[in-house]
Amino acid sequence: MSDYKAVVIGGSAGSFAVVLKMLSKLRPDFELPIIICMHRLKHIRSGLAENLDIKSSMKVVEPYDKERIEKGKVYLAPSNYHMFVEFDGTISLSIEDMNNQSRPSIDYTLSSAAASYREKCLGIILTGANKDGAKGLKDIADKKGFTIVQDPKTAEVDTMPKSALKIMQPDLILSPDGITDFLNNLK
Amino acid sequence: MDFKQFLASFKIKTGYDFCDYSDNSISRRLDKISAESKLSFEQMLDKVMTDETFKNKVIDEITVNTTELFRDPTMWISLYKTLYQQLPKSATITFWHIGCSRGLEVYSNLIMMHLLGNLDRCRAIGTDLNSRVLEIGRKGEYSYRFNLYFKDNFNAVMAGCGLDAKFEDYFDIDESQDKMKVKPFLLEKPKFIEQNLVQDKAPFAYKVDVVFFRNVMIYFNDKLQNKIMSMVCSKMYDGAALILGKQESLTSQMMTRFTKTGQYYQKKVLL
Ligand SMILES: C[S@@+](CC[C@H](N)C(=O)[O-])C[C@H]1O[C@@H](n2cnc3c(N)ncnc32)[C@H](O)[C@@H]1O
């Protein structure tokens, strides 16, 4: 795990179930911070972090502005805020305009993580019905970080993984279980 | 020229001091303007001096003025169940909305006060450094189709509080003109006053009972947050309430002067 400083994940339609399963199967001593940006449906804006927290051995939080990123914690972008990873190892939030019709925007989270962690960033794009996140994942690849795209054949909605594959070549294309195994086998 | 040098020159040229805005977010915002306008920081500074529209665009971009009616419904529902049940029963209640943008937070609160039967006793002040957004707040007129989710927020808050009020009780809607306008009985209540928090004192003489200060300090560094919160604190009665954005917290230095109760902070009574 020393090769990376954090895992950064983006997803939209269908991704909640994938993330829930992944977090519940991660080994208990998984120590990289996991930073997740998921689009939410308007009517289920709250309770996501609580639901993930119950299933995960890592602590899941919706961070406050300027909160420090720590090992062994999961950071979930709060509803209606963009979430950025900063050079000083903190998270910052903003309510500026939507990006790709989304707030939080996955591109913003992934691109800021790419700039801050460079080659020590591990980025993952999951199922989703929007192209948000594709450019962010490309930014991670451009900075020589490691990138994974969920296999579109296993995606509930394949627009998001396909949009990523259209503009970049990830290191791996994996099923959800494949992604979990990959993370659990990180040295 | 880096963004720090840009901000120092911007201050000298325009009088607007953004030097203590949070480094990360302001450098990102300036990079964005530079990319979109295809101008270097030097060229941006030149253009600011001759082109008023561009200057305003830079200020808008730096200060981020997005806002909604009943933004974060769960927060309003929690306020209704706690703070709003404990407001003074007889005297005037003064609300100060800092960084109020187009006034939607001010009108959200006044709707709650109307439903609680407090409207006549309310004094509401909205301040912002941006005179253009304040003017929209004064008019109380917003585009309709683009902002349909205001209605969703409104309905979510009413349902959560067990209140039965309709959006049309507070807004006149003209779909053909794509407009909604705050009804006159609400529109006449608030005062919108220009104030730049970095350099101006509070633009009124009295103290306030409730301060809304949501999603403004996220754009400031800790030093500026402390300085401005001291000024704000001095305008609050002992025991007065401070409401920050859903994901904001006070710096540890300011926290010594408040206690946190649910969704809001209360100014400690000094003995
Ligand atoms: C993101 S908006 C928040 C609006 C509203 N409070 C809400 O949460 O929906 C931030 C507002 O703060 C204002 N602002 C930023 N810097 C300021 C300053 N130095 N003095 C006064 N207002 C400022 C901006 O003009 C903008 O309208």
Side-chain angles (χ1 to χ4, degrees), chain A residues 37-100:
Chain A
C37 183
M38 269 191 290
H39 299 158
R40 314 183 175 207
L41 295 173
K42 276 252 151 131
H43 59 277
I44 37 168
R45 276 193 164 170
S46 52
L48 277 194
E50 291 80 353
N51 280 324
L52 292 176
D53 193 49
I54 294 169
K55 292 281 162 117
S56 161
S57 57
M58 293 167 84
K59 177 94 197 118
V60 181
V61 296
E62 292 188 337
Y64 278 83
D65 182 53
K66 300 187 179 57
E67 189 166 327
R68 190 152 290 288
I69 299 169
E70 292 169 0
K71 284 190 172 173
K73 268 199 185 176
V74 179
Y75 298 87
L76 181 69
S79 70
N80 223 357
Y81 283 87
H82 293 302
M83 178 171 81
F84 300 89
V85 176
E86 302 296 357
F87 287 102
D88 59 2
T90 61
I91 276 177
S92 70
L93 302 175
S94 173
I95 67 167
E96 69 204 66
D97 287 333
M98 297 202 203
N99 187 36
N100 304 320

Side-chain angles (χ1 to χ4, degrees), chain B residues 24-187:
Chain B
N24 297 317
S25 91
I26 202 155
S27 63
R28 189 161 43 232
R29 320 205 68 72
L30 291 175
D31 287 344
K32 185 170 168 225
I33 306 171
S34 167
E36 280 173 4
S37 62
K38 302 198 170 63
L39 297 173
S40 69
F41 285 172
E42 284 88 349
Q43 291 166 325
M44 277 160 58
L45 279 172
D46 288 340
K47 188 154 181 180
V48 156
M49 295 309 288
T50 53
D51 183 340
E52 182 80 8
T53 315
F54 183 71
K55 178 178 121 186
N56 290 341
K57 184 178 144 51
V58 172
I59 294 170
D60 287 356
E61 189 66 49
I62 289 178
T63 55
V64 184
N65 51 41
T66 47
T67 179
E68 311 173 8
L69 192 77
F70 289 115
R71 177 169 222 283
D72 301 324
T74 45
M75 198 216 67
W76 290 95
I77 295 166
S78 152
L79 288 182
Y80 177 78
K81 292 181 175 161
T82 56
L83 176 67
Y84 285 172
Q85 306 300 326
Q86 295 149 28
L87 292 172
K89 291 274 179 286
S90 52
T92 304
I93 319 168
T94 306
F95 296 92
W96 181 16
H97 298 262
I98 309 177
C100 68
S101 194
R102 291 174 205 81
L104 287 155
E105 183 186 86
V106 181
Y107 293 119
S108 306
N109 181 55
L110 287 173
I111 290 171
M112 295 309 261
M113 289 306 116
H114 178 252
L115 288 163
L116 287 158
N118 287 338
L119 193 61
D120 291 342
R121 299 192 286 119
C122 284
R123 177 154 65 182
I125 308 141
T127 58
D128 203 289
L129 98 172
N130 187 329
S131 58
R132 297 174 297 286
V133 292
L134 289 173
E135 195 46 42
I136 297 174
R138 273 181 211 117
K139 287 211 178 84
E141 200 174 272
Y142 309 93
S143 104
Y144 180 65
R145 240 164 300 143
F146 183 67
N147 294 313
L148 277 177
Y149 63 100
F150 287 5
K151 229 176 180 170
D152 299 335
N153 288 354
F154 179 96
N155 290 333
V157 170
M158 293 309 140
C161 297
L163 293 164
D164 102 87
K166 286 197 300 294
F167 191 74
E168 292 75 17
D169 296 341
Y170 299 99
F171 287 89
D172 289 317
I173 296 166
D174 183 344
E175 288 202 45
S176 66
Q177 298 285 317
D178 190 26
K179 285 217 168 83
M180 55 181 148
K181 188 169 167 65
V182 177
K183 295 222 178 208
F185 75 97
L186 271 192
L187 190 68

